[in-house]
Amino acid sequence: MVLENPVQPFLDWFLGDLSNWGAGPMFLVTLLVLALGSVVIGLLVSIILYGPLKGGERVYTVVRNGLAEMFYWSPRRVSAIARLAVQESLRKRVLVAIVVFVILLLFAGWFLQSENDPAKIYFSFVLTATAYMGVFIGLLLSVFSLPDDFKSKTIYTIVTKPVRAGDIVLGRILGFTFVGTMLLLIMGAISYIFVWRSLDHSHQLDETVMQDIRDADGEVVATIPQLTTLDNGHRHEIRVNDDGGIVAAFAQGHEHEVLQDGDKLTVSPPLSTMRARVPKYGSIVFRDPNGNPVARGVSVGKEWKYRSFIQGGSQSAAIWTFDNVDESLLIENKRDETEYLPLELIVRVFRTYKADIETPVQGSIQLRNPETDLKSRIEFFSARDDYIDSQYFPRKLTDSDNNPIDLLKDLVSKEGQLEVVVQCVDRAQYFGFAMADCFIRRPDASPLVNFAKAMVSIWVQMVIVIAIAVAASALLTGPIALMLTSSLVLLGYYKEFFVSVARGAAEGGGPLEALVRLVTHMNLTSPFPNEKDRFEIQLLKNVDNVIGVFMQGVANILPDFTQFNGSSYVASGFDIPWPLIVQQLLTCLAFVIGSTVIGYFFLRNREVAR
Amino acid sequence: MAGEVVVETRALTKVYRDFWGRQKVRALKALDLEIYKGEIFGLLGPNGSGKTTTIKLLLGLLFPTDGQALVLGKDATEVSKNERIGYLPEESYLYRFLNAEETLDFYGRLFNIPAEVRRERIDKLIKLVKLEGARKRQLREYSKGMTRRIGLAQALINEPDLILLDEPTSGLDPIGTREMKDWILALRDEGKTIVMCSHLLADVQDVCDRIAILHQGELKELGRVDELLKVEDVTQIRGRNLSQDCQNEIRDVIARHQGELLDMQNPTTTLEELFLKIVRDSEEPPAARAS
Amino acid sequence: MNKRNSFRNKLIYIVGIMVLIFPMWWLGSPKTPTNRGGELARLQEEHGLSQANLGDIDPASETMKLCTLGFRGLAVQLLWNQAQEAKKEENWTQLTATLKQLSRLQPNFITFWKFQSWNISYNVSVQFDDYRDRYYYVREGIKFLEEGIDHNKENAEIPQLLWDLGWFLGQKIGRADEYVQYRRLFKADDEFHGDRALEDRDNWLVGKEAYLEAIDSIRRGKNLGRKSEKIFYSSPAKSQMNYAEAIEEEGAFETAQSAWVLSEEEWREFGDRVIEHSTGVKLKLGNEAEVAAELAEQEAAMEALAPGAKLRLREQRLELLSDVEREALNTPMDERTSQQFEIANAAEQKVVVTDQDWAAAIATEKSDLKTKAYDLAGKLSEQRVLLIYTQRYKRDANYDYWLVRAVFEQTPEAVSARKSSFLGKQAFEQGDRFKARELYEEAFEKWRVVIDEFPILMDDDGPTGEDILVFVEEYRRVLDALDEPFPESFPLWDVIEKFDLEQKFEAELRDHQTNSGKQAESSGQKAEESGEGDAPAEPKEDEPGGNDPDSDDPDSDDANTDDANTDDAKTDDANTDDAETSDDVGDDRPATPET
């Protein structure tokens, strides 16, 4: 799978270092800046409105109340408000959402026709649909609740009780979260069943073309069909495995077993349509054609810079270094009772000339001890483009001089490091690699748990939306709060772009400049005619710069929703790493805390009656 | 009867402003009030006179533009004062999808009342406001009278010391009004302080110990109801089971003391007259009033 | 505000509402059986734009359009971006899924289908290394195009989609580097063909069907857009020839022979078709001789009016030239200096006698013939233009070459010549070198006969010679394997002389020329690049080279650019196939889908 930003270990992410702060310090700093900023702005405004003395007193009261009430909250009151929120949601018939979702899945077949990789399509569809539904429901539930209370004045009977504004905000966030969680659980269950049902299929054997199975001496031992029937948009070739079992070979991301029942052959249900590979990644460096270490290989002119390429027939190589390689990573093959290092490799092939189209480009792979420079005997492989290929190394192997060595003892350094060196053999052909293209495969995790993890990511998105929506609705009327929150959500989905506009890195300039270009049908890249001399253009750009600074500020508190996307993992059959889940949960917590505080100040300091 | 002061306002002022900060209405002008423990205090005035504004300021639903309101010794904007306050809003703003029990339970939780105590009080209050038959029905199905009653029950869930009632009898039929008044009096007898505002003069006259009459945000009259209504040169005679002879005798007695018997019918609601007089006075041009 | 004021306001509102409602009614009232409806309904009817008129209505599509709540434009924009992004990040599954969704949202936007099917067939397929994966995506693009056709059967622009389908099926499969594999996979593609008979599963034939359907749709009143008629109408016959060529290469000579017979018939049919020149002149490619004859006749008639008048006028004008100019004109073409060249050109302009001048001259000589002269002059000019255009178009389409090709390929000599070459190659591959040599020599004898019979094959534009050269090379390989010299008795020296542009046979040729006593002359200077033609053995560029020539400029003088346009141009824009597509796309970016 594509992993553009490797998942950081938890502590690195949370604490970071001096130059690059982790999430924890960043959160505190943001909170501090926000708090100080609000106090300063509030002070300025009240001094203008009420004069220095009274204004100062008001701000003091607000801050004092805030500090006093912040820690004065009771679980019973919060839970009462939360329960009320749940009852309110049920009253608003949120269960309709489930019906809508089911209808969506019923019609999903219309635009999810059989594809190359159906599991990928189905998973990304259900997860994306669930995520959108989750965010949408969370938004609609929470954003109108407080404003409705204001409209119907039921809020009067609440705030005249000893309820802290924080209780009201937090209670609502929790209540709606509970409702949302229930909905997500139901939708998740439906989704999982949907995917499972959609991927489940059976084949018959197509007996029009038969093939002979020969034993080692070339004697025909059996005659079996060559292909299965065409079901679910694909068919399999029937092959005989090394261990003599008959299988319907890998196609569309899965295979079947062919079971022999006396004379009758039947095809089993699909095996491993859903999987959750658990990779152990290493770090990657490259060697240029002269064998010098470089950070990246060459570019073959692809727009996407994810992979870089090594030249064939030269000293160019991609080298992965794996840490903490020990016995626990080896797997044992039951049949020959040998231990293997399960290495998986994805190769992107780039040919500079066609050569023989039907012959794959050749590559080589070997293991190397970074300390002693001892190398295992070179293994050659035929590159299968864009496909996860297994390269299993037995524990007992030979070095480049054919002396027997032990993988763990001789090839792993004292620090537990092991290098994997991959080269392209064919001259002037290229292999492309990224860090995530080679990994040691740990035992697969449960696909169900993995799916649940993806649902947690979606849950996190929903909770963040609810938190923001409740906080916004503590001050604003329903429609305005809805607009604000959905804008934040949208920006959150396009945070990268937003930040690039804020920094002036995006083509087309800042917001004003872009608007002018849009209206005047000007393209994004060409500068305005003699823009240096034109006052209005310079003014425009300067205003944009100021807006940019403001936008960067907003960007700091903007949730990056693309980071909460577990669907790419599940869809490509990889396990979502736990640190990622923890990161997401902590981020979510930060948003809930922040929103509660902000919501508290909004609600506490507005006149409830109007 | 100056006892313990429960509610005190000092030059309490409220100015409503529009979005741009322009002054729109001076709803309350420098109100000074003291309300004592154990009395029933009535705020009286026509619509828009500032009585509801006063109640909202006392509850902290509004923030004063100037001056201060102290409730139970605390600033009105402080939340903790709510612990000992009960509030019946004008139109029982309750969640219509809850039933009576759930409503009381919900508000009970907001007071952080432990579960057993809550259950006990809910039973007691439901019995008190006579909603035993409807305790499991959603409030959406309630009649106006029932809604007022559950509203009152809700205001009493914390056994408050101070009860603020906003138009407690509005929209009630005569029997309901009577019941409400009886409860109010009973609460006073329990030693609770009650502040109510109303424009129904009869109610106020019947139950209030003291009243304040507001008009256009200004305090016009303040005092004990009996004192305010006492007309020095008028004696009202009321009696029960008076025979014709007795009545004639009384007439004679009056005649003997050179008095003149005006009327022996039911008494007129003089509060209404007082009220109308105040309203008339305020609406006259200032010069005319000064004279 | 008093009562009268409020009444007046109400009146103003009512009038305002009426004023606004009227244009809405005028534009939007729906069509009923009795009423032809508002302006929009009328326009819809006139241009065949109503959904039901265009093609299959897909409930999924309608549902999705409804779901966007009027924000279809926005949704489409987002999805196009998503598709581009998916393509960039090589997320092919995502790309195809996004395209599927897009196709629901804008099912009648022709450019979408053209652009994205090209994207899949041409740009996505080449991202894979395995030819089977490549074929999968080539076919996905074709299927996508077919889906688009289903949704737009009655769309006015449908011929373009159908033609594209023919192009993809023919050129993308049959002209790719991996055409051998593609054609094999295409034949075996049960999923694609369904119950189409095995012998019909040739990509060229299936492509031809699409071309014919495209032509048929024109007959039903659909329009061609800006596609050149010359290319459009020649496509089925060309497909037929490509088919014949392809199966010859695969050794099916009997079938090929009859395929060539059909090719000739169809090519002649194409020559008889009235085609509109980009200037609006109507012409027939097969009609050049007639046009020329008529022109000569008309010139003679003009000459008869006043014999020698034209010549005399020219003489007069020559008199007026300066000495330098005259000298330049009198110097033979290849001896002129570059200065003289320019002068001569200018002078020629001065002395040239147009038909109008001619008529004027006649009129001055014989004033009674004035009307007739001018009349004839007018016709003469028209005829001249027609002839020039016809010639130019013929050259563009390489009409004569293909006609000759179709004719000679069906002759028994040509068939057996090809067969012998083919068998020779086969024998060599099987290791039978002697038999191979024998077969090749037999083949060359037959080729000699064919060339003598059809000398046009030796024309610069006739790359068949190059085709033969490939056999000669193979033959030499056989000889090398046998360790024998290139025989002097080789019958096709002229082919080598003419077509060995890369001078692969330089040594052999030198020996031959010394032997035959000729002066050695550099064979490299022969002719200009003739590679524009339609040779089956035309060198195929490696795909990353992909700068596709625009083929469909209506005035393009490129000869048969359709075939030069090999394959796999790995350009980012999918619209390299023809100039008009790129224009369309430029106008109709996703932000403004079908209006």
Side-chain angles (χ1 to χ4, degrees), chain A residues 184-492:
Chain A
L184 282 189
L185 278 179
I186 298 169
M187 290 199 280
I190 296 173
S191 302
Y192 196 77
I193 293 169
F194 168 78
V195 174
W196 181 69
R197 292 276 310 134
S198 308
L199 293 179
D200 192 32
H201 60 276
S202 61
H203 295 275
Q204 305 294 314
L205 292 166
D206 181 359
E207 294 182 349
T208 47
V209 187
M210 305 296 278
Q211 59 181 344
D212 292 339
I213 303 299
R214 291 166 199 277
D215 61 11
D217 309 324
E219 290 291 309
V220 177
V221 290
T223 304
I224 57 169
Q226 205 166 19
L227 292 169
T228 66
T229 48
L230 183 74
D231 295 290
N232 247 28
H234 66 281
R235 56 170 85 223
H236 301 264
E237 279 176 45
I238 311 281
R239 280 195 207 137
V240 177
N241 264 356
D242 301 340
D243 56 1
I246 308 175
V247 292
F250 199 79
Q252 277 215 333
H254 67 274
E255 55 185 8
H256 301 261
E257 252 178 310
V258 178
L259 307 168
Q260 244 166 326
D261 182 19
D263 278 351
K264 225 167 124 18
L265 293 174
T266 49
V267 185
S268 77
L271 306 175
S272 61
T273 42
M274 304 184 223
R275 58 174 83 227
R277 299 177 185 85
V278 185
K280 176 184 172 57
Y281 289 118
S283 58
I284 187 173
V285 288
F286 292 87
R287 294 268 185 280
D288 73 6
N290 301 321
N292 304 316
V294 281
R296 285 181 65 82
V298 296
S299 161
V300 293
K302 285 183 195 276
E303 191 188 356
W304 197 36
K305 302 287 176 230
Y306 177 65
R307 290 191 172 88
S308 63
F309 287 71
I310 57 171
Q311 190 185 331
S314 72
Q315 294 188 58
S316 198
I319 301 172
W320 283 267
T321 310
F322 294 94
D323 291 328
N324 308 324
V325 178
D326 57 27
E327 214 146 318
S328 65
L329 292 172
L330 301 184
I331 53 164
E332 200 187 327
N333 187 326
K334 293 266 159 16
R335 211 151 38 83
D336 51 9
E337 289 179 355
T338 40
E339 287 180 306
Y340 288 92
L341 180 72
L343 211 60
E344 310 242 308
L345 184 70
I346 304 167
V347 185
R348 286 296 269 126
V349 179
F350 184 86
R351 296 190 189 219
T352 53
Y353 65 101
K354 287 258 162 146
D356 179 8
I357 291 163
E358 298 192 28
T359 313
V361 177
Q362 296 297 307
S364 74
I365 183 169
Q366 60 192 138
L367 303 178
R368 179 173 170 272
N369 184 329
E371 218 168 35
T372 62
D373 201 27
L374 183 71
K375 289 176 186 156
S376 71
R377 197 177 52 123
I378 199 158
E379 299 279 343
F380 294 96
F381 64 90
S382 297
R384 202 167 156 192
D385 186 37
D386 206 18
Y387 177 82
I388 304 177
D389 219 353
S390 303
Q391 306 284 349
Y392 285 11
F393 283 88
R395 177 162 186 175
K396 302 264 174 282
L397 31 69
T398 51
D399 68 5
S400 37
D401 299 327
N402 257 340
N403 306 314
I405 48 170
D406 181 273
L407 194 153
L408 289 182
K409 254 183 252 152
D410 299 318
L411 290 175
V412 177
S413 74
K414 276 196 212 75
E415 287 79 37
Q417 288 187 321
L418 172 70
E419 281 185 358
V420 176
V421 182
V422 178
Q423 287 182 294
C424 175
V425 174
D426 290 354
R427 282 182 63 82
Q429 308 290 34
Y430 287 76
F431 279 171
F433 294 112
M435 186 281 284
D437 285 345
C438 179
F439 53 89
I440 300 173
R441 186 160 169 193
R442 292 202 169 105
D444 280 3
S446 143
L448 183 63
V449 172
N450 200 30
F451 186 78
K453 286 191 210 165
M455 293 302 290
V456 168
S457 302
I458 293 171
W459 180 85
V460 163
Q461 296 179 41
M462 184 195 71
V463 175
I464 290 177
V465 169
I466 289 176
I468 294 175
V470 169
S473 68
L475 181 68
L476 305 166
T477 59
I480 306 284
L482 177 70
M483 269 167 61
L484 177 76
T485 316
S486 28
S487 310
L488 284 178
V489 171
L490 265 184
L491 289 180

Side-chain angles (χ1 to χ4, degrees), chain C residues 124-143:
Chain C
V124 173
S125 68
V126 298
Q127 298 286 334
F128 290 87
D129 189 50
D130 191 312
Y131 68 93
R132 282 161 297 205
D133 292 334
R134 286 176 177 233
Y135 174 74
Y136 174 84
Y137 278 98
V138 168
R139 197 199 58 191
E140 281 300 286
I142 290 171
K143 275 164 66 183

